[in-house]
Amino acid sequence: MAFLDPRYPKRLLPPKEQCQKIALIPREFSSLNEARDSLINTMQRVMQFTSAMFPETFSFSGFLRLDFMMSIPLEHVDRKYMHLAELQAWRSSISPVIKKSLTSEGSNDRFCAASLELMYLAGYVTTYMMRTYDGKSPDTKILMPEFEQMLALSEELLKHPNMSQPNATYMFEMHTICPLYAISWYCPQRSLRRKAIALLQSPARREALWDSVMVGKLAEWIMSLEDENYEGEYAPEHVRCTRGDIIGYNMITREAEVRCFVPAPGTVIAVDRTTILKF
């Protein structure tokens, strides 16, 4: 499913009195299709909120930009938690359908259920990771169960006949690239990040505008920058890169100019680092 909202990002948010109305979700979904439609609507509202909070981050320049130095203003923090609550309500409503579908080995229902579960987890993690007005980074260790489940679901989906092809594939909708990139960017555990990066780089595939090898190379570079500033299995929050940009992109030569902001050791200053990635 595709969560891209093509409207101009500097839009007005719905009035607060309407938020509860748009957040209503059935107590229990009757089918995977109903749950899918509801998740798409839910994620569209999350993306609308995010792009309204960070219009420069989500500007449609044609390139990827992730900026986590910005934070949600105090007057809008409650909306972040509203969207998290809505995602949790969605997961509760689909629980019986997911439980039934995931017991059917090799069935199409299992593939669909696993895809929905993966997209929910990616949306929840991304929303949770938005900084609030105090500028503090959320504790990513809290999300380790979600990261581990996202990796396991991605591995299962990539082995499915629908996804497992000898040649590079293209899919119109998002499936595994975005969730795996979320793991490789947010997850604090080295070994899990390396597994996610490996799954991005092979098998090679494209989903919507995302090239898995390019994303894997970018994630690998960001991880290497962070690895310079700590030892051990878990990256402390103060060494994490706060922004990543794809500045330029050449599909003919398969090269990309990328930029990342890395905290300088012992300071609060972010150092601008750039490189050329070949993919």
Side-chain angles (χ1 to χ4, degrees):
M1 67 189 68
F3 295 142
L4 184 64
D5 186 345
R7 293 173 297 174
Y8 188 63
K10 292 183 179 179
R11 65 184 70 86
L12 292 175
L13 288 168
K16 286 192 175 184
E17 60 270 15
Q18 293 183 14
C19 289
Q20 293 304 317
K21 295 179 182 178
I22 65 173
L24 291 177
I25 289 177
R27 184 173 181 179
E28 184 176 325
F29 292 114
S30 59
S31 67
L32 288 170
N33 283 336
E34 183 187 14
R36 179 184 184 275
D37 291 342
S38 176
L39 183 59
I40 289 174
N41 291 333
T42 300
M43 289 306 303
Q44 284 176 341
R45 289 194 284 274
V46 172
M47 291 299 294
Q48 180 182 356
F49 168 70
T50 308
S51 56
M53 292 295 98
F54 316 123
E56 298 304 321
T57 300
F58 282 79
S59 60
F60 288 88
S61 60
F63 304 122
L64 173 67
R65 171 180 287 179
L66 295 174
D67 188 346
F68 304 110
M69 290 186 290
M70 302 175 67
S71 58
I72 302 171
L74 176 60
E75 63 269 25
H76 295 299
V77 170
D78 59 336
R79 292 176 184 255
K80 167 187 172 177
Y81 295 110
M82 183 205 74
H83 289 301
L84 284 173
E86 185 176 4
L87 284 164
Q88 290 171 325
W90 179 90
R91 183 58 183 83
S92 177
S93 297
I94 199 179
S95 182
V97 181
I98 287 279
K99 185 177 181 180
K100 179 180 178 181
S101 300
L102 290 180
T103 57
S104 306
E105 291 288 341
S107 71
N108 286 333
D109 279 356
R110 182 181 177 88
F111 178 81
C112 294
S115 298
L116 286 176
E117 180 82 335
L118 182 59
M119 287 299 105
Y120 153 74
L121 288 167
Y124 182 86
V125 166
T126 303
T127 306
Y128 179 89
M129 286 299 298
M130 294 180 193
R131 293 180 184 232
T132 51
Y133 66 98
D134 58 9
K136 293 181 180 178
S137 301
D139 182 2
T140 51
K141 283 187 178 181
I142 294 175
L143 296 172
M144 281 304 301
E146 284 78 7
F147 291 133
E148 291 169 354
Q149 190 177 4
M150 287 164 67
L151 186 75
L153 289 168
S154 296
E155 288 177 325
E156 177 178 345
L157 289 173
L158 288 171
K159 292 176 183 177
H160 193 276
N162 290 359
M163 304 280 283
S164 179
Q165 301 294 332
N167 300 317
T169 60
Y170 173 78
M171 305 187 76
F172 179 74
E173 297 182 339
M174 294 300 301
H175 282 270
T176 61
I177 296 180
C178 188
L180 286 170
Y181 185 55
I183 297 171
S184 65
W185 181 282
Y186 297 126
C187 180
Q189 188 184 51
R190 269 190 170 135
S191 57
L192 205 66
R193 294 175 80 181
R194 290 194 181 111
K195 289 179 182 178
I197 290 170
L199 289 176
L200 284 168
Q201 295 184 351
S202 180
R205 58 202 182 278
R206 292 193 69 190
E207 297 170 6
L209 300 177
W210 293 60
D211 182 295
S212 68
V213 178
M214 171 63 241
V215 171
K217 293 286 186 181
L218 175 59
E220 188 175 45
W221 177 64
I222 291 172
M223 184 175 174
S224 70
L225 294 177
E226 296 178 354
D227 285 350
E228 295 174 0
N229 297 321
Y230 78 100
E231 296 180 358
E233 179 68 1
Y234 289 89
E237 299 303 328
H238 69 270
V239 307
R240 306 302 298 274
C241 297
T242 53
R243 173 172 169 174
D245 296 338
I246 296 180
I247 304 170
Y249 196 94
N250 190 321
M251 283 299 296
I252 298 176
T253 61
R254 293 191 68 79
E255 293 181 335
E257 182 181 5
V258 297
R259 174 175 59 191
C260 189
F261 288 83
V262 187
T267 72
V268 294
I269 300 173
V271 179
D272 187 345
R273 300 281 292 270
T274 61
T275 192
I276 302 293
L277 297 178
K278 296 182 181 293
F279 60 97

